[in-house]
Amino acid sequence: MTTKTAVISFCRLLMGLALVVSSIVNGYKLRYHGESFKPDIVLRVTENSIPVACSTRYSVVINGTSPGPEIRLRQGRTYWIRVYNDMETQNLTMHWHGLSMAASPFSDGSPQASQWPIAPQYFFDYELHPNVGDAGTYFYHSHVGFQAMSASGPLIIEDDDPPYQYDGERTIHLSDLFLQTDEQIETGLTQPPYVWSGEPSNVLVNGQGVLLNPGADTGDTECSLATILVEPEKVYRLRFIGATALSYVSLGFQSHNNLSIIEADGDYTQPFGVDHLQIGAGQRFSALMRTKSRKELEEDRANGINHYFLQIETRERPDSVRSYAALIYPGGSYNVSTAPANPPMILPSTTLGWLDYQLRPLTPNNFPTLAEVTRRVTVTITQIVNNTLVTFLQNGFPWTESFPPMPYLVALYNEDLSLFPSYESAINNGGMDNRTRTFPAKLGEVLEIIIQMTGAGNGILNVHPFHAHGAHFYDIGSGSGAYDLMQNEERLKGVEPVRRDTAMTYRYPGSGIPGVPWAWRAWRLRVTDAGVWLVHCHILQHMLMGMQTVWVFGDRNDVLRLGYPAVKGYLSYGGEAYGNSSRWPTCVHYWDDDDD
């Protein structure tokens, strides 16, 4: 070690010690994440050509795989997850889908709203603290461009004492496969001339699938169906994760129609029996399934049946894609290199409003009544089609990665308070501050939020799974046409809605007249989590085309509570909160148990 290097290292050590000992401000601490700091989990993100479903695709992958490794955390504990951007030219973030990052706002992973992306060859340490009550099924994914199609993975918050008993768990992570590269898809959607991505070539289960076109050339690429191994006379918790880019799917198990939903988007529900599921991008469900008895298996095998399938079909698209996984018992077998020649089951068409008014929370969840609602905000979605581009607007404006030129929370901390939304202007304008294109609310308010879809400029209607960052909302239903408050209140009589973070607006019959209301989704939300939060369609193509909004919850002191200079390292691209090969980062620690 040279003298200069030793001096630099010693200075860094002194700085780190000083930060640990003396930088306790407003309940958080600044820490130098030097060589002695050991993150709980490390994710390394690269881009490689990977074999997938009998083809090869250049993809963004996590720890060398797609999906990335399953992460399991305990509620009520603090974890540090280090995410390396090992790519040469692409930016990166990681979003912890379904978890509120209210306490650690720069860890939300939304580059348009909360943090600068991780620059190529840099890394960022995310602080996660699942709260007690967060136990459930989540996932993590990049929030940059089209990367989430392949850069995602299961995130399970474990329950120390789950309210339901089962013998084992199986994770079923659903993702789309597009054979074009991310860059080709993004360019087609965001630069003239507009080129639609087309439909996925496959829906993968845990990253696996086979050719869906019999006789197609696989080249030298091996592939197989995902296998779900189970034993007879057991109860399994099946964790379904809708990590698709575009697809809204219907799925069911051959000869196993005894599913009982017990969780939706990280919240336990009362058991609700179904024979199939509908899952959109961003949604998650847990369902209990009792496997066959030994006697039933013997009878099936006597009839030549020694395996079963999970059958998946896309819905509400011009072309339907059908894919499979294999459900296998001990002693059963199947050639998993091929899909069945004929579908073993008939899945129903889309059920509009599926489970909207049927699911109930397992325990009372403080659902706000109509009398508690302080304000109603309607977000009107329109589509603009011209000769070169297709864009989605919310109350007349799109939100893309180019607006604003820096993450919105960063801009506020950089003392550009002219960007802080005017609550008064928003009140006088239906809820949106046009100058900043944001929706502000004060802590303690109870909002009723209506997402109102209107007919598209090209006459084509779609389903839209809307996802909210921050605190979960109470889902109060959906319907066709324009939202009718009193009609929906009648539907809610005697109902205690569940809390969700992703809910579907449906495509109702007809092409829709441009600008005319044709479908809605309504939420109620107790405004508790101060911060800057995205609310957006979780179809990646639609996000890139502008279908997202930014909500600012709390007054200036609430949102900017950390203060400067504590957050200085987060306020510039590649700032001191981001490490690289020659520099360790300095990070804000929000939770006291970081010392444990």
Side-chain angles (χ1 to χ4, degrees), residues 243-426:
T244 52
L246 171 66
S247 295
Y248 181 49
V249 304
S250 178
L251 61 80
F253 287 92
Q254 177 189 3
S255 192
H256 294 69
N257 58 0
N258 59 341
L259 300 174
S260 180
I261 292 175
I262 60 165
E263 178 219 344
D265 291 358
D267 273 35
Y268 283 116
T269 69
Q270 296 177 26
F272 190 85
V274 295
D275 58 8
H276 76 290
L277 277 75
Q278 294 179 182
I279 304 176
Q283 295 184 313
R284 292 95 57 218
F285 293 95
S286 281
L288 298 181
M289 182 179 74
R290 181 174 294 278
T291 56
K292 287 180 173 287
S293 68
R294 289 176 172 82
K295 181 180 179 181
E296 290 172 318
L297 288 175
E298 291 174 1
E299 292 173 350
D300 283 349
R301 288 172 183 174
N303 292 315
I305 302 172
N306 63 4
H307 56 265
Y308 311 89
F309 288 101
L310 167 62
Q311 184 171 315
I312 305 158
E313 296 176 0
T314 61
R315 292 287 184 262
E316 306 302 319
R317 300 299 310 162
D319 300 307
S320 182
V321 176
R322 181 184 294 122
S323 63
Y324 299 93
L327 181 70
I328 297 178
Y329 286 83
S333 63
Y334 179 73
N335 178 7
V336 294
S337 64
T338 60
N342 298 301
M345 59 187 299
I346 298 175
L347 290 171
S349 301
T350 302
T351 300
L352 300 174
W354 186 69
L355 301 186
D356 276 358
Y357 301 93
Q358 286 76 44
L359 288 183
R360 301 286 185 273
L362 181 60
T363 57
N365 63 8
N366 196 26
F367 169 62
T369 65
L370 179 63
E372 294 179 81
V373 174
T374 59
R375 188 157 55 97
R376 188 166 293 105
V377 178
T378 299
V379 181
T380 302
I381 313 292
T382 56
Q383 187 187 65
I384 303 300
V385 180
N386 59 34
N387 294 329
T388 58
L389 282 179
V390 178
T391 307
F392 286 104
L393 310 180
Q394 290 72 223
N395 293 9
F397 295 95
W399 188 287
T400 64
E401 292 187 11
S402 62
F403 181 88
M406 66 176 63
Y408 191 75
L409 180 62
V410 169
L412 296 180
Y413 267 114
N414 271 324
E415 300 185 357
D416 190 354
L417 295 183
S418 65
L419 280 177
F420 204 93
S422 166
Y423 183 82
E424 291 73 21
S425 294

Side-chain angles (χ1 to χ4, degrees), residues 40-48 50 59-71 81-86 92 94 140 150-153:
D40 299 282
I41 296 167
V42 173
L43 302 176
R44 303 204 75 118
V45 179
T46 57
E47 46 186 341
N48 305 302
I50 59 171
S59 301
V60 178
V61 295
I62 303 171
N63 289 9
T65 64
S66 178
E70 181 170 290
I71 295 175
I81 301 180
R82 176 163 292 176
V83 178
Y84 285 89
N85 182 0
D86 290 333
L92 171 74
M94 203 61 72
Y140 62 95
S150 56
S152 72

Side-chain angles (χ1 to χ4, degrees), residues 366 368-377 422-424 426-427 430-431 439-449 471-472 474 523-530 551-555 558:
N366 196 26
T369 65
L370 179 63
E372 294 179 81
V373 174
T374 59
R375 188 157 55 97
R376 188 166 293 105
V377 178
S422 166
Y423 183 82
E424 291 73 21
I427 292 293
F439 293 80
K442 295 183 180 294
L443 296 183
E445 283 196 88
V446 178
L447 299 183
E448 189 161 283
I449 300 171
H472 288 195
Y474 298 88
W523 306 338
R524 284 186 190 154
L525 176 69
R526 296 187 183 276
V527 181
T528 57
D529 288 5
W551 297 68
V552 181
F553 289 164
D555 295 330
D558 302 319

